[in-house]
Amino acid sequence: MSKRVGMEVTTACAEAAALCRIDVASVYPITPQSHIAEHLSEIVNDGRLDASFMTVESEHSALSAAMGASATGARVFTATASQGLLFMSEILPITSAMRFPVVMIIANRAISGPINIWNDHSDIMHTRDTGWISFFADNGQEVVDMTIQAFKVGENRNVMLPVNVNVDGFQLTHTVEPILFPDQEEVDRFLPEYVPYATLHPDRPVSMGTLGVPEIYAEAQKAKDVAIVNSIKVVKEVWKEWEKLFGRKYEPIQSYRTKDADVALVTMGSMGETAEIAVDALRKQGVKAGLLKIKLWRPFPFAELKKAVKGIRVLAVTDRACSFGGPGGPVFSEIRSALYEESVRPAIVNYLIGLGGRDVQVEDFMEMVRKAAKGKLSEPYEFYGVRG
Amino acid sequence: MNTVKKYPKSIIENFDLYAPKLVSKEEFFSPGHRACQGCGEALAIRLMCKALGKDTIITNATGCMEVVSSVYPTTAWNLPWIHVAFPNAASVGSGVEAGLTALRRKGKIADRRVKSVAIGGDGGTMDIGFQALSGAMERFHDMLYVCFDNEAYMNTGIQRSSGTPFLASTSTAPAGKKIPGNQVWKKNMAEIMVAHNVPYVATATPSYPLDFMNKVKKARRVKGPSYIHCFAVCPTGWRSTSETCIKLGRLALETGIFPLYEVVDGKYRLTVEVPEKRRPVQDYLKGQGRFRHLTPDQIQVIQERVDIEWEALMIKVKHSKSREELRTLRGK
């Protein structure tokens, strides 16, 4: 039986990892992730979870140690944010290439220059193309659910890839929310013990991470791409199973009041809930507004997006990271490219919002929709509400 | 780490030493790899694996040994082996140990001791992998780290590292008309590991194979971290002839340039005797192209440094005490 508990989301996330009966966690402290590591170490040291908790000396080592442990067949968990994720970036594509189903929580935080500890998505966008499956959570409940789902997806024999769950720093991580917790038996039933494909053990010696010469490197890249592209099927199956067991529905793209929408906002992460309120307010004023929330960022849900935008005249895509000197924010360019070959497609405008923790309020989203209704902004992408 | 650390009175137990006929004929690092002729490192790894035995998992930093031994789809390794990247052999190896420990404790794998052994070159250990190594040793994992020090980045083309000796000519510290090669002294990595309170630290070279294998065996038995700094002659990078590989390792010892010792629980001991009258460093330097440009004055500078370092080591050998001895003394 699920139990409703009021809890800080980071604490809840650590509890979710414990429910997954992880064998090893290796974490390095960084704001706003640290509460996850702190609470998880408390769970381990209180004897509620039998796991090796590694307090490593850097994020680079956090993921490296996670890989070493995963190679022995352990279920492994780690978490980081911002500079920590960038410091890991050397190891990120190797984790996916070696097909270790490590699960990592990213407490999304702006990357430095200037240093800033608050929330945006520049960290995950910087490491976007490393072959990790990426979930985006809207609220604390989704963080708990997605943490558990991530192991099930990553460890599926047809997937065998690392998964990251993106959790907006502070906005989500440090918020106390009412969360429904599945009990241990329910999680055990949903998530059976990890059965690795090959492990490091003297009874059956294998070589992992060998040298890929030009004759094989390209094939290795293609194999990784095929694996992550095909993983969407498993993601959807896992989410269906979750809905059946726990009644909470997950979709790669979640539509909100888009049936007859004229202008639809696109968001990822915790701002989706603010945008919902803005859509409701606009609807009250007679504006046919709607909202698309992207929950699955990698693999990108192309078919689901095409279906979701049917009938929409203008998409107002919000991005929380810059692509300096590029075509606009990463979500925007992704969506525009995804719809390029559609004969009927919406006009698409791009707002860069909420950078480095800049507050975005209901009225801001309403204003974005009103401005977007023209189908074009005065610039290719707009730093919304930014001076200079 | 939440693995319970019990510190036994003596952390190393049951030494038994190798004699040639006791060396296993089993090959865990098989022939057919692509190392250069006369490679001291490949020989050392072969001997190390024999001393480690079957119940071992190797984590290899990026470098010569990874490249020559693992060109897909071939492998020279008959032991479980993993390579992830350049700077992280120690952290991956520590993760291997943590994973094995957790799985053993939870009954998911057989309850049998399998040793995690991480290996890297001087660049992967003393430079880019230094932080990861320091962390892994400090966390007191049950793992052995072996640095195969051939005194430069040989895999990438003989660039200098912090293991490169003073005045050696390398591709990024060449013997120029104004600056005669590498301008700083070699980092003393074994000492840095001793400062981590690692229970077993040793220097070794395949030129003294039984000494090396005995050290590997001792290090394997430590229930905690251990470190071996293995001097590995590189004919390609040192511009020396391949047949002098073993001889150069011996000369390094006989001149006092690379003494062979071990530090058990803080106590220093020479493991291979050095003649009372050490050979002049010139004997070691002259066979190597990387030192060809040295003037007699420069050789004298090196000689003085080696003499001083030798004295410093002898003081430690004579006067150092193990933690155990210090505990006993306090009790008196």
Side-chain angles (χ1 to χ4, degrees):
Chain A
M1 263 298 282
S2 291
K3 203 173 140 193
R4 188 182 294 274
V5 193
M7 203 181 264
E8 190 186 282
V9 171
T10 45
T11 311
C13 185
E15 290 289 342
L19 279 170
C20 296
R21 298 186 188 276
I22 55 169
D23 300 305
V24 175
S26 68
V27 200
Y28 185 79
I30 186 168
T31 304
Q33 172 280 119
S34 302
H35 287 187
I36 299 176
E38 290 167 12
H39 190 67
L40 191 56
S41 67
E42 204 176 304
I43 294 172
V44 171
N45 284 8
D46 283 345
R48 288 205 284 130
L49 170 70
D50 187 358
S52 292
F53 188 85
M54 303 178 71
T55 49
V56 286
E57 87 300 329
S58 72
E59 287 91 354
H60 194 284
S61 283
L63 188 55
S64 299
M67 284 184 67
S70 186
T72 66
R75 179 173 284 163
V76 189
F77 177 83
T78 184
T80 191
S82 183
Q83 304 305 115
L85 184 66
L86 266 58
F87 194 26
M88 276 182 187
S89 62
E90 185 197 14
I91 308 305
L92 291 167
I94 315 178
T95 318
S96 53
M98 291 173 75
R99 311 293 287 273
F100 292 134
V102 172
V103 168
M104 172 159 66
I105 306 300
I106 304 174
N108 300 111
R109 161 184 153 182
I111 56 175
S112 270
I115 188 166
N116 174 296
I117 60 165
W118 296 273
N119 168 231
D120 70 26
H121 296 160
S122 49
D123 52 5
I124 177 65
M125 291 308 164
H126 203 90
T127 53
R128 181 186 67 178
D129 295 332
T130 50
W132 286 57
I133 293 171
S134 281
F135 293 169
F136 269 83
D138 262 28
N139 53 47
Q141 185 67 59
E142 292 190 0
V143 173
V144 167
D145 293 356
M146 284 178 167
T147 302
I148 303 167
Q149 294 158 2
F151 284 105
K152 176 115 172 176
V153 169
E155 291 171 6
N156 184 295
R157 192 50 69 78
N158 295 321
V159 178
M160 294 298 287
L161 283 170
V163 183
N164 59 50
V165 179
N166 289 271
V167 181
D168 282 334
F170 293 112
Q171 261 92 338
L172 261 185
T173 55
H174 286 54
T175 311
V176 175
E177 291 194 13
I179 293 165
L180 275 165
F181 266 94
D183 66 31
Q184 186 67 62
E185 273 168 44
E186 286 173 319
V187 175
D188 288 347
R189 227 173 305 135
F190 173 77
L191 182 68
E193 203 167 285
Y194 170 41
V195 185
Y197 179 71
T199 61
L200 290 176
H201 199 273
D203 290 346
R204 188 173 165 256
V206 292
S207 295
M208 296 183 177
T210 56
L211 180 74
V213 291
E215 290 75 14
I216 201 69
Y217 179 86
E219 277 73 12
Q221 300 311 303
K222 188 176 175 187
K224 181 154 89 173
D225 189 56
V226 168
I228 194 165
V229 168
N230 290 343
S231 73
I232 194 163
K233 194 168 160 271
V234 176
V235 173
K236 285 175 17 186
E237 279 167 14
V238 167
W239 281 350
K240 276 246 162 65
E241 189 186 339
W242 188 269
E243 187 187 349
K244 226 169 108 192
L245 288 171
F246 302 105
R248 291 186 290 279
K249 188 174 181 168
Y250 286 85
E251 295 167 295
I253 291 182
Q254 201 185 337
S255 302
Y256 183 74
R257 302 187 81 164
T258 52
K259 230 176 204 169
D260 60 341
D262 180 51
V263 180
L265 288 158
V266 181
T267 62
M268 291 209 301
S270 63
M271 279 192 182
E273 300 204 332
T274 315
E276 277 181 17
I277 299 169
V279 166
D280 290 346
L282 285 164
R283 287 270 174 179
K284 259 188 205 154
Q285 295 172 2
V287 181
K288 285 184 175 173
L291 168 68
L292 299 177
K293 298 194 284 188
I294 301 175
K295 294 293 172 64
L296 180 66
W297 171 237
R298 279 293 181 275
F300 192 81
F302 291 98
E304 288 75 7
L305 176 78
K306 285 172 191 167
K307 213 172 129 198
V309 300
K310 285 236 158 75
I312 295 170
R313 188 175 59 85
V314 183
L315 276 186
V317 179
T318 62
D319 261 291
R320 308 203 51 208
C322 308
S323 166
F324 300 103
V331 184
F332 166 70
S333 55
E334 199 95 330
I335 286 178
R336 202 162 56 159
S337 159
L339 299 176
Y340 181 76
E341 285 185 345
E342 298 301 287
S343 50
V344 184
R345 56 178 185 240
I348 311 173
V349 301
N350 188 205
Y351 296 107
L352 300 177
I353 61 166
L355 301 178
R358 181 71 68 90
D359 196 24
V360 185
Q361 302 189 351
V362 173
E363 177 50 41
D364 296 319
F365 281 113
M366 292 171 74
E367 177 61 16
M368 281 181 240
V369 170
R370 284 194 286 263
K371 273 174 82 174
K374 280 185 222 149
K376 209 171 176 211
L377 302 176
S378 54
E379 303 160 280
Y381 50 92
E382 181 183 319
F383 283 84
Y384 178 85
V386 175
R387 299 181 294 271
Chain B
M1 288 299 302
N2 72 329
T3 45
V4 179
K5 303 281 168 26
K6 285 181 187 148
Y7 297 86
K9 268 196 168 172
S10 167
I11 207 141
I12 305 161
E13 25 183 70
N14 304 329
F15 288 170
D16 50 336
L17 300 177
Y18 269 116
K21 65 176 178 188
L22 295 177
V23 174
S24 159
K25 291 203 168 53
E26 199 170 353
E27 297 294 350
F28 295 107
F29 185 70
S30 61
H33 56 73
R34 292 158 165 80
C36 306
Q37 197 179 46
C39 173
E41 197 172 346
L43 172 61
I45 284 183
R46 179 175 165 231
L47 298 173
M48 174 191 78
C49 291
K50 280 174 184 282
L52 288 169
K54 181 173 171 281
D55 282 345
T56 305
I57 294 174
I58 306 278
T59 303
N60 203 157
T62 306
C64 282
M65 286 305 108
E66 163 263 329
V67 171
V68 304
S69 69
S70 80
V71 182
Y72 185 88
T74 66
T75 180
W77 297 91
N78 286 325
L79 291 172
W81 179 91
I82 183 169
H83 157 254
V84 175
F86 196 9
N88 65 354
S91 38
V92 174
S94 74
V96 167
E97 189 272 329
L100 290 173
T101 305
L103 295 175
R104 266 176 80 184
R105 195 175 56 229
K106 293 170 99 165
K108 293 184 182 177
I109 57 170
D111 189 16
R112 181 168 109 220
R113 186 165 183 245
V114 174
K115 187 83 177 184
S116 174
V117 178
I119 61 175
D122 46 299
T125 305
M126 301 161 76
D127 290 347
I128 200 167
F130 187 70
Q131 174 182 316
L133 175 62
S134 177
M137 294 288 118
E138 169 268 321
R139 292 194 299 275
F140 219 81
H141 291 277
D142 182 9
M143 67 180 280
L144 163 63
Y145 191 99
V146 186
C147 170
F148 294 96
D149 177 9
N150 55 20
E151 304 197 315
Y153 290 88
M154 300 313 183
N155 188 41
T156 46
I158 326 173
Q159 296 85 9
R160 85 159 285 276
S161 75
S162 62
T164 302
F166 184 56
L167 296 183
S169 180
T170 71
S171 60
T172 52
K177 287 189 180 115
K178 195 173 165 204
I179 302 171
N182 187 42
Q183 289 298 289
V184 288
W185 297 96
K186 181 183 176 76
K187 189 192 270 183
N188 191 334
M189 197 61 199
E191 283 294 330
I192 295 168
M193 287 296 105
V194 172
H196 280 66
N197 282 334
V198 170
Y200 186 82
V201 176
T203 62
T205 159
S207 298
Y208 293 88
L210 296 181
D211 176 70
F212 175 44
M213 292 176 77
N214 282 324
K215 284 169 176 167
V216 171
K217 213 170 170 191
K218 281 186 193 179
R220 190 189 197 290
R221 289 208 168 133
V222 174
K223 294 187 176 91
S226 49
Y227 177 85
I228 296 177
H229 196 89
C230 181
F231 185 79
V233 175
C234 174
T236 309
W238 296 9
R239 309 286 187 232
S240 55
T241 53
S242 53
E243 73 276 12
T244 57
C245 171
I246 301 301
K247 191 175 145 197
L248 279 174
R250 288 184 165 264
L251 284 169
L253 175 95
E254 289 163 9
T255 53
I257 281 178
F258 193 84
L260 296 175
Y261 61 94
E262 63 184 12
V263 189
V264 182
D265 197 23
K267 187 179 174 65
Y268 288 69
R269 185 177 78 87
L270 284 185
T271 58
V272 180
E273 285 297 313
V274 177
E276 189 116 342
K277 195 171 174 340
R278 281 177 285 116
R279 294 176 76 144
V281 294
Q282 165 73 9
D283 290 2
Y284 169 74
L285 301 173
K286 70 184 174 197
Q288 304 176 50
R290 61 177 176 159
F291 295 121
R292 191 173 46 201
H293 58 288
L294 296 193
T295 64
D297 286 353
Q298 288 165 341
I299 291 171
Q300 190 50 37
V301 172
I302 294 172
Q303 182 67 59
E304 279 165 20
R305 168 83 175 201
V306 168
D307 291 346
I308 295 289
E309 289 302 307
W310 178 260
E311 289 299 319
L313 179 64
M314 285 311 106
I315 290 169
K316 286 173 191 155
V317 169
K318 274 187 200 138
H319 301 293
S320 62
K321 289 194 166 46
S322 71
R323 300 287 185 273
E324 187 60 29
E325 284 173 322
L326 290 172
R327 263 192 293 273
T328 315
L329 282 175
R330 261 173 76 91
K332 273 181 187 167

